[in-house]
Amino acid sequence: MVYPVKPLTKIYENPDELTRAAAEESVIRINESLARRKTCTLVLAGGNTPRPLYQLLATEYAHRIPWENVHLYWGDERFVPHDHDQSNYRMVRESLLKHISVPSENVHPIPTEHPTVVDCAQAYEIHLQAEFRTEFPEFDLVLLGLGTDGHTASLFPGTDAILEQENWVCASEAPDPPKERITLTYPVLNSAKSVFFLVSGEQKAEAVRNASQEVHDRNACPAAFIRPERGQVIWWLDRPAAAQLSEEK
Ligand code: 6PG
């Protein structure tokens, strides 16, 4: 499989430098979208790695982002209440939303209050369809993390989610609790204009190498199949996470 637009890999000495550089470029991309079409759709990653970036966007960089024109979405969510300590919504609320003035109608969390995880995925799909109307969602900037097993968002090896080619959102299952997840799918993620992977730590080095290689089996490394047709992928790595990349990268 060939990248339509060759991904960039940026390597930094430590997570702080990685985060600062990624925050700076995120601000640039957000403002480029705003200059182009007066709005920006930003998909937020879950997990722990992006938290310091959200904290930077909420403080040092907040004045450089006209939040009233930015719409925030989530790439995936755990099937837990939004005030649960494992909720990606809660992580973003604590690190970003509480500290900025963004209109509530610009914040699009994945719902988790419906009876089943499939109901939640369907509800978010309906919400996205209402937001994007006839357009296929082409998010301006998608932030993603990477698991040691090569998963990204909640596209985990061995799940039906990595086979989904029609729906924009689907249910998924993580190997570790909270197991029930909701995730954006490849069709949507691969329609993004920019995708930033934020990865730090030696424990991710093998998954980073796998994701950079020609992989033909999605189970081997789901993140390797994030190949936007027209979008730019940038891997924001610290040196330990990049340790297994060959020199020419
Ligand atoms: C989640 C994320 C998931 C995460 C990776 C990396 O809901 O947990 O969407 O894909 O990005 O598991 O997580 P860390 O950043 O915590 O290592």
Side-chain angles (χ1 to χ4, degrees):
M1 181 177 291
V2 178
Y3 270 102
V5 177
K6 190 161 173 48
L8 295 178
T9 300
K10 295 175 181 281
I11 301 170
Y12 298 87
E13 283 309 311
N14 55 58
D16 290 348
E17 286 184 24
L18 180 173
T19 298
R20 183 165 292 281
E24 180 68 38
E25 187 63 27
S26 298
V27 171
I28 291 169
R29 296 294 171 107
I30 290 167
N31 282 293
E32 281 174 351
S33 304
L34 294 171
R36 214 173 31 246
R37 48 195 213 93
K38 303 206 182 327
T39 185
C40 174
T41 53
L42 172 60
V43 174
L44 300 171
N48 298 308
T49 306
R51 192 195 307 263
L53 185 144
Y54 302 150
Q55 290 165 336
L56 270 184
L57 295 183
T59 53
E60 211 169 308
Y61 289 89
H63 68 286
R64 290 175 52 190
I65 301 173
W67 292 106
E68 67 278 6
N69 299 320
V70 179
H71 283 256
L72 301 172
Y73 297 83
W74 273 252
D76 72 326
E77 185 55 281
R78 293 85 181 273
F79 186 44
V80 296
H82 281 163
D83 59 1
H84 189 283
D85 63 4
Q86 291 290 310
S87 161
N88 286 335
Y89 170 76
R90 175 174 168 175
M91 183 271 287
V92 171
R93 186 185 64 208
E94 299 301 316
S95 57
L96 177 63
L97 300 181
K98 277 170 65 173
H99 311 284
I100 60 172
S101 55
V102 57
S104 58
E105 61 269 21
N106 288 25
V107 180
H108 309 272
I110 295 174
T112 60
E113 68 274 13
H114 299 291
T116 71
V117 66
V118 171
D119 294 334
C120 293
Q122 289 171 347
Y124 202 47
E125 175 130 1
I126 289 166
H127 179 77
L128 293 182
Q129 286 171 355
E131 287 299 308
F132 288 91
R133 299 191 188 85
T134 56
E135 305 282 307
F136 192 89
E138 294 183 0
F139 289 105
D140 293 302
L141 176 56
V142 172
L143 304 180
L144 290 172
L146 179 70
T148 54
D149 61 357
H151 82 263
T152 190
S154 281
L155 298 169
F156 286 93
T159 63
D160 290 343
I162 63 175
L163 306 175
E164 181 59 54
Q165 288 300 321
E166 295 300 322
N167 290 321
W168 299 358
V169 189
C170 71
S172 186
E173 185 170 352
D176 303 317
K179 293 195 174 206
E180 291 188 289
R181 306 283 184 103
I182 301 105
T183 187
L184 295 186
T185 59
Y186 283 115
V188 170
L189 296 172
N190 280 332
S191 300
K193 296 180 182 120
S194 294
V195 175
F196 287 2
F197 278 98
L198 307 167
V199 192
S200 68
E202 191 178 2
Q203 75 282 11
K204 303 285 180 76
E206 184 181 354
V208 166
R209 189 197 64 223
N210 292 340
S212 72
Q213 292 175 338
E214 297 305 326
V215 178
H216 302 286
D217 170 14
R218 287 179 187 210
N219 284 306
C221 183
F225 288 80
I226 297 296
R227 296 267 202 279
E229 290 96 358
R230 291 176 301 283
Q232 164 97 70
V233 176
I234 301 182
W235 286 84
W236 301 88
L237 310 173
D238 67 1
R239 198 158 295 289
Q244 295 187 25
L245 284 181
S246 50
E247 280 314 305
E248 74 265 12
K249 286 290 169 206

